[in-house]
Amino acid sequence: DAGVTQSPTHLIKTRGQQVTLRCSPKSGHDTVSWYQQALGQGPQFIFQYYEEEERQRGNFPDRFSGHQFPNYSSELNVNALLLGDSALYLCASSLYGDYGYTFGSGTRLTVV
Amino acid sequence: ELKVEQNPLFLSMQEGKNYTIYCNYSTTSDRLYWYRQDPGKSLESLFVLLSNGAVKQEGRLMASLDTKARLSTLHITAAVHDLSATYFCAVEMGTASKLTFGTGTRLQVTL
């Protein structure tokens, strides 16, 4: 039973560029949440997708956007990258209405 | 706005010793989670605490929850080097909601 899969594992981008990160949830899960974890910090909630809609959003600018597909997989897009966007981006899947989250191994984004 | 604080931020302890990590949160919550994170790795779920007085144990780790005090503790018994990692608590309000994480406690167990 596959857990949460994220791709790519590492990414280097230049300021001003755009990036897309991908997440496939654990089998049986229908909800995907994204978190940003800066070095030495706890993860910060970006947004959550369920039924292909953004259900909740954290305190992130609209440069951060997402999408969920009919197969429950999800993408996180970040436009106009800033140096401060450098972080580990974690995807967590869950079953809507239930508790418990499974985290993926993350995508390490470096903006130079 | 919900705030979650952990202390200490850094803990260096000798093998065989006991210690406790504290997690305080500012408003009523529905669930409290504990996670472990190794350097450069993802989050590994340790415990989910659902109600006041809940206590869960796995190996040398024991977590408890006091919802009235808005406090959770993670107790480490007879620490071993393999427990070296960063530990996060996270609070969830409502169902299918977001997790608000604490600042993390970096635990270093020395031989």
Side-chain angles (χ1 to χ4, degrees):
Chain A
D1 181 24
V4 178
T5 304
Q6 290 188 245
S7 64
T9 54
H10 295 85
L11 205 51
I12 301 175
K13 289 288 189 178
T14 304
R15 277 180 299 175
Q17 286 189 315
Q18 178 264 345
V19 68
T20 297
L21 310 182
R22 295 177 176 81
C23 173
S24 292
K26 179 180 177 179
S27 177
H29 284 179
D30 56 10
T31 303
V32 173
S33 303
W34 287 92
Y35 291 82
Q36 180 196 66
Q37 186 178 21
L39 198 62
Q41 306 289 321
Q44 299 288 317
F45 176 77
I46 303 174
F47 43 53
Q48 182 189 79
Y49 276 85
Y50 170 66
E51 290 187 332
E52 303 179 48
E53 291 187 4
E54 183 183 291
R55 297 288 174 163
Q56 295 186 73
R57 188 178 183 92
N59 189 25
F60 279 81
D62 57 11
R63 297 188 297 110
F64 289 77
S65 63
H67 188 77
Q68 186 180 34
F69 299 94
N71 67 352
Y72 308 121
S73 67
S74 176
E75 289 182 348
L76 163 65
N77 301 292
V78 187
N79 295 322
L81 285 166
L82 303 174
L83 295 179
D85 295 331
S86 296
L88 179 67
Y89 288 84
L90 295 166
C91 168
S93 74
S94 57
L95 182 63
Y96 197 82
D98 199 357
Y99 65 87
Y101 298 84
T102 301
F103 281 82
S105 55
T107 294
R108 171 73 61 186
L109 172 65
T110 302
V111 183
V112 297
Chain B
E1 180 187 346
L2 173 61
K3 293 195 183 299
V4 183
E5 294 183 348
Q6 286 180 238
N7 68 84
L9 297 182
F10 178 74
L11 176 56
S12 179
M13 54 190 300
Q14 290 182 319
E15 274 201 335
K17 299 292 186 182
N18 304 332
Y19 210 83
T20 300
I21 298 171
Y22 298 88
C23 173
N24 290 91
Y25 52 97
S26 59
T27 62
T28 303
S29 74
D30 290 291
R31 278 164 295 280
L32 190 134
Y33 299 77
W34 283 97
Y35 290 92
R36 168 184 171 143
Q37 188 176 42
D38 292 295
K41 304 294 185 182
S42 188
L43 298 170
E44 174 191 351
S45 179
L46 297 174
F47 303 107
V48 181
L49 302 171
L50 304 179
S51 60
N52 187 44
V55 177
K56 290 197 173 180
Q57 183 164 5
E58 181 73 33
R60 301 175 187 275
L61 301 178
M62 183 175 71
S64 65
L65 179 62
D66 181 344
T67 58
K68 294 179 182 178
R70 297 176 187 161
L71 170 69
S72 180
T73 60
L74 180 66
H75 187 73
I76 303 152
T77 302
V80 292
H81 183 67
D82 285 352
L83 289 179
S84 296
T86 298
Y87 293 84
F88 290 96
C89 64
V91 173
E92 182 180 26
M93 295 171 60
T95 303
S97 184
K98 65 177 183 179
L99 296 178
T100 301
F101 283 83
T103 45
T105 297
R106 184 176 155 219
L107 173 65
Q108 183 177 63
V109 182
T110 57
L111 299 171

